[in-house]
């Protein structure tokens, strides 16, 4: 019985600290007005994916053939605050490939050079702050006019960070519920007087 407890404790602690890699792959076609995305664990186990497109009402996100949601442009500013969980989620890899059209055009070559130099400057800043991050940038030229961007971003965290993030969200929801309940209770008390 003691051996089972020792092994169980060891496996539990090991699972708390084993790194989890989440990959976000995106492919954007500016001329086609679409952005495809995929979220996967360890690069091979796909969680979900779909595509999004710009509409007059907002951004239409298609997760399945029958389900789509429209995110209004006004709500995009508040979306970042909702997904900010904790600083334990570290970026591990960012690779991008930019494809511009008109291989014979001077403007497309200048655009690709400007994007590469801007990315290089941004990457050097990121590299000094986070030296462990893998950063790559490439540019391709196509015969027909196009502007496409492909990225692969990987985040690393562990189950302890995930447990802390979930606990933080639950506590925030509980505190908001208590505040709301207290404010409605005091409001009802004022109305009865």
């Amino acid at each position: 019985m003691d051996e089972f407890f020792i092994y169980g404790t060891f496996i539990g602690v090991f699972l708390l600290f084993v790194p989890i890699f989440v990959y976000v792959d995106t492919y954007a076609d500016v001329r086609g007005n679409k952005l495809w995305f995929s979220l996967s664990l360890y690069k091979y186990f796909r969680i979900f994916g779909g595509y999004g497109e710009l509409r007059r009402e907002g951004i239409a996100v298609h997760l399945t053939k029958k389900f789509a949601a429209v995110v209004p442009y006004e709500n995009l500013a508040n979306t970042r605050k909702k997904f900010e969980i904790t600083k334990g989620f570290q970026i591990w890899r960012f690779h991008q490939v930019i494809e511009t059209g008109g291989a014979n055009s001077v403007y497309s070559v200048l655009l690709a050079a400007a994007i590469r130099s801007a990315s290089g400057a941004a990457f050097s800043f990121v590299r000094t702050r986070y030296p462990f991050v893998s950063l790559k940038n490439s540019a391709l030229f196509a015969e027909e006019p196009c502007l496409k961007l492909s990225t692969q971003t990987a985040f690393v965290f562990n189950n302890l960070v995930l447990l802390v993030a979930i606990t933080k969200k639950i506590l925030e929801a509980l505190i908001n519920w208590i505040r709301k309940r207290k404010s409605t209770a005091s409001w009802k008390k004022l109305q009865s007087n």
Side-chain angles (χ1 to χ4, degrees), residues 48-90:
F48 70 89
Y51 70 94
E53 58 186 341
L54 298 176
R55 300 267 176 110
R56 278 184 301 200
E57 307 86 34
I59 299 174
V61 180
H62 300 267
L63 295 175
T64 64
K65 290 181 180 179
K66 295 183 179 182
F67 178 74
V70 176
V71 180
Y73 294 118
E74 303 89 41
N75 295 349
L76 290 178
N78 297 329
T79 306
R80 183 182 171 271
K81 294 176 185 174
K82 291 179 183 177
F83 290 109
E84 188 176 358
I85 298 174
T86 183
K87 293 184 179 181
F89 297 89
Q90 298 293 326

mmCIF file of all heavy atoms in Angstrom, residues 48-90:
data_model
loop_
_atom_site.group_PDB
_atom_site.id
_atom_site.type_symbol
_atom_site.label_atom_id
_atom_site.label_comp_id
_atom_site.label_asym_id
_atom_site.label_seq_id
_atom_site.Cartn_x
_atom_site.Cartn_y
_atom_site.Cartn_z
ATOM 1 N N PHE A 48 -9.105 21.599 -32.480
ATOM 2 C CA PHE A 48 -10.136 22.125 -33.367
ATOM 3 C C PHE A 48 -9.491 23.050 -34.384
ATOM 4 O O PHE A 48 -8.333 23.411 -34.277
ATOM 5 C CB PHE A 48 -11.265 22.836 -32.599
ATOM 6 C CG PHE A 48 -10.874 24.133 -31.962
ATOM 7 C CD1 PHE A 48 -10.981 25.319 -32.657
ATOM 8 C CD2 PHE A 48 -10.422 24.171 -30.657
ATOM 9 C CE1 PHE A 48 -10.626 26.517 -32.076
ATOM 10 C CE2 PHE A 48 -10.067 25.362 -30.068
ATOM 11 C CZ PHE A 48 -10.166 26.535 -30.776
ATOM 12 N N GLY A 49 -10.269 23.427 -35.359
ATOM 13 C CA GLY A 49 -9.801 24.320 -36.412
ATOM 14 C C GLY A 49 -10.979 24.859 -37.178
ATOM 15 O O GLY A 49 -12.132 24.501 -36.924
ATOM 16 N N GLY A 50 -10.696 25.705 -38.116
ATOM 17 C CA GLY A 50 -11.749 26.303 -38.925
ATOM 18 C C GLY A 50 -11.184 27.449 -39.729
ATOM 19 O O GLY A 50 -9.985 27.513 -39.981
ATOM 20 N N TYR A 51 -12.070 28.355 -40.113
ATOM 21 C CA TYR A 51 -11.609 29.521 -40.844
ATOM 22 C C TYR A 51 -12.476 30.715 -40.490
ATOM 23 O O TYR A 51 -13.583 30.582 -39.984
ATOM 24 C CB TYR A 51 -11.597 29.277 -42.358
ATOM 25 C CG TYR A 51 -12.947 29.159 -43.008
ATOM 26 C CD1 TYR A 51 -13.554 30.273 -43.585
ATOM 27 C CD2 TYR A 51 -13.622 27.948 -43.054
ATOM 28 C CE1 TYR A 51 -14.791 30.173 -44.183
ATOM 29 C CE2 TYR A 51 -14.853 27.838 -43.647
ATOM 30 C CZ TYR A 51 -15.440 28.955 -44.210
ATOM 31 O OH TYR A 51 -16.663 28.863 -44.796
ATOM 32 N N GLY A 52 -11.941 31.895 -40.748
ATOM 33 C CA GLY A 52 -12.655 33.134 -40.498
ATOM 34 C C GLY A 52 -12.581 34.024 -41.722
ATOM 35 O O GLY A 52 -11.679 33.888 -42.549
ATOM 36 N N GLU A 53 -13.555 34.910 -41.840
ATOM 37 C CA GLU A 53 -13.574 35.860 -42.944
ATOM 38 C C GLU A 53 -14.190 37.166 -42.465
ATOM 39 O O GLU A 53 -14.984 37.192 -41.537
ATOM 40 C CB GLU A 53 -14.334 35.298 -44.141
ATOM 41 C CG GLU A 53 -15.749 34.902 -43.864
ATOM 42 C CD GLU A 53 -16.401 34.211 -45.053
ATOM 43 O OE1 GLU A 53 -15.898 34.357 -46.166
ATOM 44 O OE2 GLU A 53 -17.410 33.548 -44.848
ATOM 45 N N LEU A 54 -13.780 38.247 -43.116
ATOM 46 C CA LEU A 54 -14.294 39.570 -42.763
ATOM 47 C C LEU A 54 -15.636 39.802 -43.433
ATOM 48 O O LEU A 54 -15.804 39.553 -44.622
ATOM 49 C CB LEU A 54 -13.306 40.650 -43.188
ATOM 50 C CG LEU A 54 -11.933 40.607 -42.530
ATOM 51 C CD1 LEU A 54 -11.043 41.680 -43.126
ATOM 52 C CD2 LEU A 54 -12.039 40.776 -41.039
ATOM 53 N N ARG A 55 -16.592 40.294 -42.649
ATOM 54 C CA ARG A 55 -17.919 40.645 -43.147
ATOM 55 C C ARG A 55 -18.239 42.065 -42.699
ATOM 56 O O ARG A 55 -17.524 42.645 -41.889
ATOM 57 C CB ARG A 55 -18.980 39.688 -42.581
ATOM 58 C CG ARG A 55 -18.771 38.232 -42.928
ATOM 59 C CD ARG A 55 -19.547 37.927 -44.175
ATOM 60 N NE ARG A 55 -19.318 36.584 -44.625
ATOM 61 C CZ ARG A 55 -20.195 35.622 -44.580
ATOM 62 N NH1 ARG A 55 -21.370 35.817 -44.057
ATOM 63 N NH2 ARG A 55 -19.903 34.436 -45.070
ATOM 64 N N ARG A 56 -19.329 42.603 -43.177
ATOM 65 C CA ARG A 56 -19.737 43.946 -42.732
ATOM 66 C C ARG A 56 -20.095 43.951 -41.253
ATOM 67 O O ARG A 56 -19.838 44.904 -40.539
ATOM 68 C CB ARG A 56 -20.936 44.437 -43.531
ATOM 69 C CG ARG A 56 -20.588 45.016 -44.864
ATOM 70 C CD ARG A 56 -21.806 45.545 -45.509
ATOM 71 N NE ARG A 56 -22.755 44.420 -45.638
ATOM 72 C CZ ARG A 56 -23.773 44.368 -46.452
ATOM 73 N NH1 ARG A 56 -24.033 45.399 -47.211
ATOM 74 N NH2 ARG A 56 -24.550 43.322 -46.522
ATOM 75 N N GLU A 57 -20.717 42.878 -40.768
ATOM 76 C CA GLU A 57 -21.181 42.811 -39.384
ATOM 77 C C GLU A 57 -20.033 42.582 -38.406
ATOM 78 O O GLU A 57 -20.120 42.911 -37.236
ATOM 79 C CB GLU A 57 -22.191 41.667 -39.203
ATOM 80 C CG GLU A 57 -23.345 41.681 -40.160
ATOM 81 C CD GLU A 57 -23.031 40.972 -41.479
ATOM 82 O OE1 GLU A 57 -22.282 39.989 -41.477
ATOM 83 O OE2 GLU A 57 -23.526 41.440 -42.508
ATOM 84 N N GLY A 58 -18.967 41.917 -38.874
ATOM 85 C CA GLY A 58 -17.848 41.574 -38.010
ATOM 86 C C GLY A 58 -17.043 40.445 -38.631
ATOM 87 O O GLY A 58 -17.089 40.232 -39.844
ATOM 88 N N ILE A 59 -16.349 39.718 -37.797
ATOM 89 C CA ILE A 59 -15.550 38.590 -38.265
ATOM 90 C C ILE A 59 -16.371 37.320 -38.094
ATOM 91 O O ILE A 59 -16.780 36.981 -36.981
ATOM 92 C CB ILE A 59 -14.232 38.489 -37.480
ATOM 93 C CG1 ILE A 59 -13.413 39.755 -37.685
ATOM 94 C CG2 ILE A 59 -13.451 37.270 -37.907
ATOM 95 C CD1 ILE A 59 -12.166 39.819 -36.844
ATOM 96 N N ALA A 60 -16.621 36.622 -39.196
ATOM 97 C CA ALA A 60 -17.365 35.362 -39.159
ATOM 98 C C ALA A 60 -16.365 34.227 -38.965
ATOM 99 O O ALA A 60 -15.465 34.050 -39.772
ATOM 100 C CB ALA A 60 -18.149 35.166 -40.441
ATOM 101 N N VAL A 61 -16.533 33.474 -37.884
ATOM 102 C CA VAL A 61 -15.643 32.366 -37.563
ATOM 103 C C VAL A 61 -16.418 31.072 -37.777
ATOM 104 O O VAL A 61 -17.432 30.827 -37.124
ATOM 105 C CB VAL A 61 -15.133 32.461 -36.105
ATOM 106 C CG1 VAL A 61 -14.215 31.300 -35.781
ATOM 107 C CG2 VAL A 61 -14.428 33.780 -35.869
ATOM 108 N N HIS A 62 -15.937 30.230 -38.692
ATOM 109 C CA HIS A 62 -16.577 28.953 -39.012
ATOM 110 C C HIS A 62 -15.767 27.830 -38.350
ATOM 111 O O HIS A 62 -14.637 27.568 -38.741
ATOM 112 C CB HIS A 62 -16.602 28.736 -40.527
ATOM 113 C CG HIS A 62 -17.337 29.792 -41.267
ATOM 114 N ND1 HIS A 62 -18.662 29.687 -41.592
ATOM 115 C CD2 HIS A 62 -16.936 31.004 -41.737
ATOM 116 C CE1 HIS A 62 -19.049 30.762 -42.237
ATOM 117 N NE2 HIS A 62 -18.014 31.584 -42.335
ATOM 118 N N LEU A 63 -16.364 27.183 -37.340
ATOM 119 C CA LEU A 63 -15.678 26.090 -36.658
ATOM 120 C C LEU A 63 -16.029 24.738 -37.263
ATOM 121 O O LEU A 63 -15.222 23.819 -37.224
ATOM 122 C CB LEU A 63 -15.994 26.106 -35.165
ATOM 123 C CG LEU A 63 -15.481 27.344 -34.418
ATOM 124 C CD1 LEU A 63 -15.950 27.322 -32.977
ATOM 125 C CD2 LEU A 63 -13.977 27.430 -34.487
ATOM 126 N N THR A 64 -17.243 24.600 -37.786
ATOM 127 C CA THR A 64 -17.655 23.391 -38.497
ATOM 128 C C THR A 64 -18.417 23.828 -39.746
ATOM 129 O O THR A 64 -18.616 25.015 -39.981
ATOM 130 C CB THR A 64 -18.578 22.500 -37.621
ATOM 131 O OG1 THR A 64 -19.786 23.209 -37.347
ATOM 132 C CG2 THR A 64 -17.908 22.096 -36.320
ATOM 133 N N LYS A 65 -18.871 22.850 -40.534
ATOM 134 C CA LYS A 65 -19.629 23.183 -41.738
ATOM 135 C C LYS A 65 -20.985 23.800 -41.398
ATOM 136 O O LYS A 65 -21.518 24.588 -42.166
ATOM 137 C CB LYS A 65 -19.843 21.937 -42.584
ATOM 138 C CG LYS A 65 -18.588 21.429 -43.231
ATOM 139 C CD LYS A 65 -18.846 20.204 -44.075
ATOM 140 C CE LYS A 65 -17.566 19.706 -44.707
ATOM 141 N NZ LYS A 65 -17.768 18.510 -45.513
ATOM 142 N N LYS A 66 -21.539 23.455 -40.233
ATOM 143 C CA LYS A 66 -22.864 23.931 -39.870
ATOM 144 C C LYS A 66 -22.857 25.002 -38.789
ATOM 145 O O LYS A 66 -23.898 25.579 -38.491
ATOM 146 C CB LYS A 66 -23.721 22.754 -39.390
ATOM 147 C CG LYS A 66 -23.984 21.743 -40.471
ATOM 148 C CD LYS A 66 -24.875 20.644 -39.979
ATOM 149 C CE LYS A 66 -25.142 19.641 -41.087
ATOM 150 N NZ LYS A 66 -26.029 18.584 -40.655
ATOM 151 N N PHE A 67 -21.712 25.269 -38.162
ATOM 152 C CA PHE A 67 -21.669 26.235 -37.069
ATOM 153 C C PHE A 67 -20.706 27.370 -37.388
ATOM 154 O O PHE A 67 -19.543 27.131 -37.702
ATOM 155 C CB PHE A 67 -21.236 25.553 -35.766
ATOM 156 C CG PHE A 67 -21.122 26.510 -34.613
ATOM 157 C CD1 PHE A 67 -22.250 27.015 -33.997
ATOM 158 C CD2 PHE A 67 -19.873 26.915 -34.155
ATOM 159 C CE1 PHE A 67 -22.152 27.897 -32.956
ATOM 160 C CE2 PHE A 67 -19.763 27.804 -33.107
ATOM 161 C CZ PHE A 67 -20.907 28.290 -32.495
ATOM 162 N N ALA A 68 -21.223 28.588 -37.298
ATOM 163 C CA ALA A 68 -20.410 29.791 -37.486
ATOM 164 C C ALA A 68 -20.876 30.840 -36.488
ATOM 165 O O ALA A 68 -22.052 30.904 -36.135
ATOM 166 C CB ALA A 68 -20.540 30.323 -38.910
ATOM 167 N N ALA A 69 -19.935 31.641 -36.031
ATOM 168 C CA ALA A 69 -20.248 32.720 -35.097
ATOM 169 C C ALA A 69 -19.689 34.018 -35.666
ATOM 170 O O ALA A 69 -18.627 34.025 -36.276
ATOM 171 C CB ALA A 69 -19.650 32.442 -33.729
ATOM 172 N N VAL A 70 -20.420 35.094 -35.459
ATOM 173 C CA VAL A 70 -19.981 36.408 -35.916
ATOM 174 C C VAL A 70 -19.546 37.220 -34.695
ATOM 175 O O VAL A 70 -20.320 37.405 -33.762
ATOM 176 C CB VAL A 70 -21.096 37.147 -36.690
ATOM 177 C CG1 VAL A 70 -20.654 38.537 -37.078
ATOM 178 C CG2 VAL A 70 -21.501 36.357 -37.911
ATOM 179 N N VAL A 71 -18.312 37.663 -34.711
ATOM 180 C CA VAL A 71 -17.779 38.511 -33.643
ATOM 181 C C VAL A 71 -17.813 39.949 -34.152
ATOM 182 O O VAL A 71 -17.079 40.291 -35.077
ATOM 183 C CB VAL A 71 -16.334 38.092 -33.276
ATOM 184 C CG1 VAL A 71 -15.798 38.981 -32.178
ATOM 185 C CG2 VAL A 71 -16.266 36.631 -32.893
ATOM 186 N N PRO A 72 -18.665 40.804 -33.561
ATOM 187 C CA PRO A 72 -18.723 42.200 -34.014
ATOM 188 C C PRO A 72 -17.393 42.918 -33.768
ATOM 189 O O PRO A 72 -16.661 42.595 -32.843
ATOM 190 C CB PRO A 72 -19.845 42.810 -33.163
ATOM 191 C CG PRO A 72 -20.630 41.657 -32.651
ATOM 192 C CD PRO A 72 -19.676 40.511 -32.552
ATOM 193 N N TYR A 73 -17.107 43.884 -34.609
ATOM 194 C CA TYR A 73 -15.844 44.614 -34.499
ATOM 195 C C TYR A 73 -15.729 45.359 -33.174
ATOM 196 O O TYR A 73 -14.637 45.544 -32.657
ATOM 197 C CB TYR A 73 -15.698 45.599 -35.661
ATOM 198 C CG TYR A 73 -15.563 44.922 -36.999
ATOM 199 C CD1 TYR A 73 -16.508 45.132 -37.997
ATOM 200 C CD2 TYR A 73 -14.496 44.079 -37.270
ATOM 201 C CE1 TYR A 73 -16.389 44.516 -39.222
ATOM 202 C CE2 TYR A 73 -14.367 43.462 -38.491
ATOM 203 C CZ TYR A 73 -15.319 43.686 -39.470
ATOM 204 O OH TYR A 73 -15.194 43.060 -40.681
ATOM 205 N N GLU A 74 -16.853 45.783 -32.592
ATOM 206 C CA GLU A 74 -16.826 46.517 -31.325
ATOM 207 C C GLU A 74 -16.334 45.632 -30.181
ATOM 208 O O GLU A 74 -15.761 46.112 -29.213
ATOM 209 C CB GLU A 74 -18.212 47.058 -30.959
ATOM 210 C CG GLU A 74 -18.839 47.966 -31.991
ATOM 211 C CD GLU A 74 -19.654 47.205 -33.019
ATOM 212 O OE1 GLU A 74 -20.369 46.259 -32.675
ATOM 213 O OE2 GLU A 74 -19.557 47.566 -34.204
ATOM 214 N N ASN A 75 -16.582 44.320 -30.266
ATOM 215 C CA ASN A 75 -16.211 43.416 -29.180
ATOM 216 C C ASN A 75 -14.753 42.974 -29.231
ATOM 217 O O ASN A 75 -14.285 42.316 -28.317
ATOM 218 C CB ASN A 75 -17.106 42.172 -29.200
ATOM 219 C CG ASN A 75 -18.547 42.512 -28.920
ATOM 220 O OD1 ASN A 75 -18.866 43.623 -28.513
ATOM 221 N ND2 ASN A 75 -19.428 41.560 -29.138
ATOM 222 N N LEU A 76 -14.033 43.300 -30.295
ATOM 223 C CA LEU A 76 -12.657 42.828 -30.420
ATOM 224 C C LEU A 76 -11.726 43.441 -29.379
ATOM 225 O O LEU A 76 -10.772 42.808 -28.951
ATOM 226 C CB LEU A 76 -12.122 43.118 -31.824
ATOM 227 C CG LEU A 76 -12.741 42.296 -32.936
ATOM 228 C CD1 LEU A 76 -12.158 42.713 -34.277
ATOM 229 C CD2 LEU A 76 -12.522 40.817 -32.707
ATOM 230 N N ALA A 77 -11.996 44.668 -28.954
ATOM 231 C CA ALA A 77 -11.134 45.306 -27.954
ATOM 232 C C ALA A 77 -11.240 44.601 -26.610
ATOM 233 O O ALA A 77 -10.239 44.481 -25.890
ATOM 234 C CB ALA A 77 -11.509 46.777 -27.808
ATOM 235 N N ASN A 78 -12.417 44.106 -26.250
ATOM 236 C CA ASN A 78 -12.605 43.434 -24.964
ATOM 237 C C ASN A 78 -12.197 41.965 -25.013
ATOM 238 O O ASN A 78 -12.073 41.326 -23.976
ATOM 239 C CB ASN A 78 -14.063 43.536 -24.524
ATOM 240 C CG ASN A 78 -14.480 44.969 -24.301
ATOM 241 O OD1 ASN A 78 -13.670 45.804 -23.919
ATOM 242 N ND2 ASN A 78 -15.743 45.268 -24.554
ATOM 243 N N THR A 79 -11.996 41.409 -26.205
ATOM 244 C CA THR A 79 -11.685 39.991 -26.332
ATOM 245 C C THR A 79 -10.332 39.662 -25.713
ATOM 246 O O THR A 79 -10.165 38.626 -25.091
ATOM 247 C CB THR A 79 -11.693 39.576 -27.814
ATOM 248 O OG1 THR A 79 -12.938 39.964 -28.371
ATOM 249 C CG2 THR A 79 -11.523 38.096 -27.975
ATOM 250 N N ARG A 80 -9.357 40.552 -25.860
ATOM 251 C CA ARG A 80 -8.021 40.306 -25.315
ATOM 252 C C ARG A 80 -8.075 40.165 -23.797
ATOM 253 O O ARG A 80 -7.398 39.330 -23.218
ATOM 254 C CB ARG A 80 -7.077 41.441 -25.708
ATOM 255 C CG ARG A 80 -5.674 41.217 -25.238
ATOM 256 C CD ARG A 80 -4.771 42.386 -25.603
ATOM 257 N NE ARG A 80 -3.500 42.245 -24.968
ATOM 258 C CZ ARG A 80 -3.192 42.693 -23.769
ATOM 259 N NH1 ARG A 80 -4.102 43.314 -23.064
ATOM 260 N NH2 ARG A 80 -1.993 42.540 -23.260
ATOM 261 N N LYS A 81 -8.897 40.988 -23.130
ATOM 262 C CA LYS A 81 -8.994 40.921 -21.673
ATOM 263 C C LYS A 81 -9.602 39.591 -21.220
ATOM 264 O O LYS A 81 -9.240 39.069 -20.172
ATOM 265 C CB LYS A 81 -9.845 42.075 -21.154
ATOM 266 C CG LYS A 81 -9.213 43.426 -21.390
ATOM 267 C CD LYS A 81 -10.135 44.527 -20.938
ATOM 268 C CE LYS A 81 -9.567 45.885 -21.290
ATOM 269 N NZ LYS A 81 -10.503 46.967 -20.992
ATOM 270 N N LYS A 82 -10.507 39.034 -22.008
ATOM 271 C CA LYS A 82 -11.145 37.781 -21.621
ATOM 272 C C LYS A 82 -10.186 36.604 -21.716
ATOM 273 O O LYS A 82 -10.304 35.643 -20.974
ATOM 274 C CB LYS A 82 -12.360 37.508 -22.511
ATOM 275 C CG LYS A 82 -13.500 38.458 -22.278
ATOM 276 C CD LYS A 82 -14.650 38.134 -23.196
ATOM 277 C CE LYS A 82 -15.772 39.132 -23.029
ATOM 278 N NZ LYS A 82 -16.868 38.882 -23.955
ATOM 279 N N PHE A 83 -9.227 36.646 -22.641
ATOM 280 C CA PHE A 83 -8.334 35.517 -22.837
ATOM 281 C C PHE A 83 -6.993 35.675 -22.129
ATOM 282 O O PHE A 83 -6.138 34.835 -22.259
ATOM 283 C CB PHE A 83 -8.107 35.277 -24.328
ATOM 284 C CG PHE A 83 -9.317 34.752 -25.012
ATOM 285 C CD1 PHE A 83 -10.030 35.544 -25.886
ATOM 286 C CD2 PHE A 83 -9.770 33.478 -24.757
ATOM 287 C CE1 PHE A 83 -11.163 35.072 -26.511
ATOM 288 C CE2 PHE A 83 -10.907 32.988 -25.375
ATOM 289 C CZ PHE A 83 -11.600 33.791 -26.252
ATOM 290 N N GLU A 84 -6.809 36.761 -21.392
ATOM 291 C CA GLU A 84 -5.573 36.943 -20.645
ATOM 292 C C GLU A 84 -5.694 36.151 -19.357
ATOM 293 O O GLU A 84 -6.376 36.547 -18.424
ATOM 294 C CB GLU A 84 -5.354 38.426 -20.350
ATOM 295 C CG GLU A 84 -4.018 38.708 -19.748
ATOM 296 C CD GLU A 84 -3.797 40.192 -19.556
ATOM 297 O OE1 GLU A 84 -4.663 40.983 -19.929
ATOM 298 O OE2 GLU A 84 -2.752 40.546 -19.010
ATOM 299 N N ILE A 85 -5.022 35.001 -19.282
ATOM 300 C CA ILE A 85 -5.195 34.106 -18.145
ATOM 301 C C ILE A 85 -4.047 34.261 -17.148
ATOM 302 O O ILE A 85 -4.231 34.646 -16.027
ATOM 303 C CB ILE A 85 -5.309 32.639 -18.620
ATOM 304 C CG1 ILE A 85 -6.539 32.489 -19.510
ATOM 305 C CG2 ILE A 85 -5.405 31.707 -17.445
ATOM 306 C CD1 ILE A 85 -6.683 31.151 -20.143
ATOM 307 N N THR A 86 -2.855 33.984 -17.577
ATOM 308 C CA THR A 86 -1.699 34.058 -16.688
ATOM 309 C C THR A 86 -0.435 34.176 -17.519
ATOM 310 O O THR A 86 -0.445 33.937 -18.715
ATOM 311 C CB THR A 86 -1.639 32.825 -15.764
ATOM 312 O OG1 THR A 86 -0.543 32.978 -14.880
ATOM 313 C CG2 THR A 86 -1.487 31.548 -16.546
ATOM 314 N N LYS A 87 0.657 34.505 -16.870
ATOM 315 C CA LYS A 87 1.925 34.650 -17.573
ATOM 316 C C LYS A 87 2.662 33.326 -17.677
ATOM 317 O O LYS A 87 3.772 33.280 -18.172
ATOM 318 C CB LYS A 87 2.791 35.685 -16.864
ATOM 319 C CG LYS A 87 2.211 37.072 -16.953
ATOM 320 C CD LYS A 87 3.114 38.083 -16.345
ATOM 321 C CE LYS A 87 2.487 39.463 -16.490
ATOM 322 N NZ LYS A 87 3.320 40.509 -15.949
ATOM 323 N N GLY A 88 2.086 32.242 -17.224
ATOM 324 C CA GLY A 88 2.736 30.938 -17.272
ATOM 325 C C GLY A 88 2.739 30.301 -18.650
ATOM 326 O O GLY A 88 3.425 29.319 -18.878
ATOM 327 N N PHE A 89 1.955 30.843 -19.575
ATOM 328 C CA PHE A 89 1.928 30.350 -20.949
ATOM 329 C C PHE A 89 3.025 31.071 -21.724
ATOM 330 O O PHE A 89 2.899 32.254 -22.014
ATOM 331 C CB PHE A 89 0.560 30.584 -21.592
ATOM 332 C CG PHE A 89 -0.552 29.834 -20.922
ATOM 333 C CD1 PHE A 89 -1.248 30.392 -19.877
ATOM 334 C CD2 PHE A 89 -0.886 28.560 -21.345
ATOM 335 C CE1 PHE A 89 -2.265 29.696 -19.256
ATOM 336 C CE2 PHE A 89 -1.903 27.863 -20.738
ATOM 337 C CZ PHE A 89 -2.590 28.432 -19.687
ATOM 338 N N GLN A 90 4.110 30.382 -22.045
ATOM 339 C CA GLN A 90 5.263 30.994 -22.704
ATOM 340 C C GLN A 90 5.276 30.642 -24.184
ATOM 341 O O GLN A 90 5.032 29.498 -24.550
ATOM 342 C CB GLN A 90 6.570 30.506 -22.062
ATOM 343 C CG GLN A 90 6.711 30.880 -20.619
ATOM 344 C CD GLN A 90 6.855 32.366 -20.416
ATOM 345 O OE1 GLN A 90 7.445 33.061 -21.227
ATOM 346 N NE2 GLN A 90 6.286 32.870 -19.336
#
